[in-house]
Amino acid sequence: MPLVPPYIESLEPYKAGKPIAELQKELGIRDVIKLASNENPLGPSPNALKAMIAATAELNFYPNGGLDLREELARQYKLRTENVIAGSGSEGIMSNIIRAFLCDEDEVLTSDGTFIGFYVLARSRGVRMIAVPLKDYHFDLEGIAARINDHTKIIYLANPNNPTGTIFTRPEFDHFMKSVPSNVLIILDEAYFEYARDNPSYPDSMHYRYDNVITLRTFSKVYGLAGIRIGYGFAHDLLIKNLLKVKLPFEPSTLAQAAGIGALQDPEFLHRSLAVNAAGKRQLRDGLREAGFNALPTEANFFCIPLASEADAESLFQYLLRQGIIIRPLKAFGLPHCIRITIGTQEQNGRLLAALKNRT
Ligand SMILES: Cc1ncc(COP(=O)(O)O)c(C=O)c1O
């Protein structure tokens, strides 16, 4: 037996969006902007920061496993604490789902062109993964349903999807759920939920309460807390009970939990973030069109733009880097001819659009 199992050996370590400090050093300039990782351009929720500072006095004690945040979420969503889990980002909870529920002979089923984090977690468990092609840059729920078999254990859906920004609709989801056996677990990743929830055709998974669906949400995006690692999930008691068995006992950290609770009590920041995103979405949509780009419709805080070729995507990425603007080429997501641009502040969006227009 080799020391490293083949399914680990074949993995590539995750490459995050290029950090600002790295590009500043490379270019010798100071005003680099990062529109690469769907982070909140307004910074973190001020109330979350206040809550974290207050929590520092207790850092000599071990955390309580996210209990306070679970109780607060249960209160806000009118659930029982037994239906809520908190973890180190929604990806941390996803990792626990993989550990808790997958056996060697199980299969996972998802789409091409979705969140890389899920592919990595599934591959690192060494199980078979089936990825159904996107249909016009949308999840093909019918195509996914058609691939369910006796070995299917987990189906991963992201709504809105990263990196396309597209959603599947209520009727599509209703129809899909009719084909899913009750012993197949659906991970419904709603990392961008807050940006999409006012769209009447968006299926908010919490309206359904299926026993085999785990809803995952995060404080990383609209609450501006990607760096502290705090996310949460909602599901049937039985699923949560088993997730709690495999979770690291002391995640989330005391500061992460405090940040989450502080953020939940910061509706002003939530509304401001959504308003800035909505205005930025209009600004970029119109500006991109004027600059000759056909962005996909988005229900999140980023745009996905298909270009003519992989070479075009790479050369636009490199050009923008030289202008001090970091965006995300999507080769690693299986969409090599596409780029993704996070919606920034009005000023950041303006700088991006000016750079695109000045390109000869
Ligand atoms: C669809 C999706 N799910 C999950 C995550 C990870 O979120 P978290 O920071 O809560 O782990 C991301 C982050 O980009 C994402 O786009």
Side-chain angles (χ1 to χ4, degrees), residues 147-168:
R147 299 297 302 271
I148 295 173
N149 65 44
D150 290 346
H151 293 285
T152 309
K153 172 66 77 65
I154 290 179
I155 301 179
Y156 171 81
L157 309 175
N159 205 35
N161 184 34
N162 175 17
T164 58
T166 53
I167 59 166
F168 53 80

Side-chain angles (χ1 to χ4, degrees), residues 133-155:
L134 289 167
K135 199 169 171 183
D136 190 23
Y137 299 102
H138 289 68
F139 260 71
D140 176 8
L141 292 188
E142 276 196 27
I144 292 174
R147 299 297 302 271
I148 295 173
N149 65 44
D150 290 346
H151 293 285
T152 309
K153 172 66 77 65
I154 290 179
I155 301 179

Side-chain angles (χ1 to χ4, degrees), residues 135-143 145 157 159 166-180 201-203 208 210:
K135 199 169 171 183
D136 190 23
Y137 299 102
H138 289 68
F139 260 71
D140 176 8
L141 292 188
E142 276 196 27
L157 309 175
N159 205 35
T166 53
I167 59 166
F168 53 80
T169 62
R170 274 169 192 251
E172 286 172 299
F173 184 58
D174 292 345
H175 186 67
F176 170 75
M177 285 306 289
K178 288 193 188 116
S179 341
V180 179
S201 61
Y202 177 70
Y208 292 87
Y210 285 112

Side-chain angles (χ1 to χ4, degrees), residues 25-346:
K25 218 161 137 197
E26 274 172 32
L27 295 181
I29 57 172
R30 293 201 49 193
D31 58 346
V32 164
I33 55 173
K34 183 177 176 215
L35 301 175
S37 301
N38 306 338
E39 295 143 337
N40 189 326
L42 300 181
S45 142
N47 209 46
L49 290 182
K50 244 186 359 206
M52 276 193 278
I53 290 165
T56 54
E58 307 255 299
L59 287 181
N60 53 317
F61 295 113
Y62 281 101
N64 68 359
L67 184 63
D68 300 345
L69 177 57
R70 292 172 65 210
E71 287 175 348
E72 178 61 19
L73 284 161
R75 203 180 56 73
Q76 292 208 3
Y77 281 83
K78 300 192 172 42
L79 302 167
R80 288 182 305 126
T81 309
E82 289 79 2
N83 297 116
V84 187
I85 191 160
S88 304
S90 53
E91 207 176 348
I93 303 172
M94 229 185 279
S95 156
N96 289 328
I97 298 172
I98 299 282
R99 287 209 295 152
F101 301 115
L102 280 180
C103 303
D104 291 348
E105 63 282 4
D106 290 337
E107 293 182 12
V108 298
L109 178 55
T110 185
S111 174
D112 276 338
T114 188
F115 180 51
I116 295 180
F118 178 74
Y119 297 140
V120 172
L121 287 171
R123 288 197 183 111
S124 67
R125 179 61 185 78
V127 296
R128 180 164 187 241
M129 179 168 66
I130 298 173
V132 173
L134 289 167
K135 199 169 171 183
D136 190 23
Y137 299 102
H138 289 68
F139 260 71
D140 176 8
L141 292 188
E142 276 196 27
I144 292 174
R147 299 297 302 271
I148 295 173
N149 65 44
D150 290 346
H151 293 285
T152 309
K153 172 66 77 65
I154 290 179
I155 301 179
Y156 171 81
L157 309 175
N159 205 35
N161 184 34
N162 175 17
T164 58
T166 53
I167 59 166
F168 53 80
T169 62
R170 274 169 192 251
E172 286 172 299
F173 184 58
D174 292 345
H175 186 67
F176 170 75
M177 285 306 289
K178 288 193 188 116
S179 341
V180 179
S182 60
N183 60 347
V184 172
L185 188 62
I186 309 280
I187 301 177
L188 193 26
D189 183 341
E190 295 181 340
Y192 302 93
F193 161 77
E194 292 86 354
Y195 301 101
R197 67 180 179 189
D198 291 336
N199 180 337
S201 61
Y202 177 70
D204 171 354
S205 62
M206 291 305 288
H207 286 155
Y208 292 87
R209 310 280 170 102
Y210 285 112
D211 288 353
N212 59 336
V213 172
I214 299 185
T215 295
L216 293 183
R217 293 187 186 164
T218 184
F219 292 100
S220 296
K221 306 298 173 185
V222 80
Y223 291 104
L225 293 170
I228 196 78
R229 312 305 303 132
I230 184 77
Y232 56 101
F234 299 126
H236 189 277
D237 324 3
L238 187 73
L239 297 175
I240 299 292
K241 192 169 113 188
N242 284 288
L243 282 176
L244 290 172
K245 293 178 194 168
V246 305
K247 181 179 98 52
L248 292 177
F250 300 122
E251 69 166 344
S253 74
T254 299
L255 293 187
Q257 167 162 263
I261 295 171
L264 284 175
Q265 293 160 350
D266 199 349
E268 192 277 327
F269 183 75
L270 171 68
H271 292 135
R272 191 152 50 91
S273 298
L274 290 175
V276 166
N277 191 68
K281 186 166 145 179
R282 287 191 294 273
Q283 180 189 5
L284 278 184
R285 188 194 51 210
D286 296 346
L288 287 168
R289 194 185 303 125
E290 276 169 35
F293 293 94
N294 256 333
L296 302 180
T298 183
E299 299 295 336
N301 64 342
F302 56 88
F303 278 100
C304 177
I305 307 175
L307 299 168
S309 65
E310 178 178 342
D312 282 4
E314 181 60 23
S315 96
L316 185 56
F317 168 62
Q318 293 297 342
Y319 164 76
L320 288 171
L321 277 186
R322 292 193 297 277
Q323 309 302 308
I325 302 170
I326 311 171
I327 60 156
R328 193 83 147 114
L330 296 181
K331 185 170 179 179
F333 286 74
L335 297 170
H337 63 296
C338 296
I339 56 163
R340 190 188 67 196
I341 298 176
T342 302
I343 298 171
T345 60
Q346 186 182 25

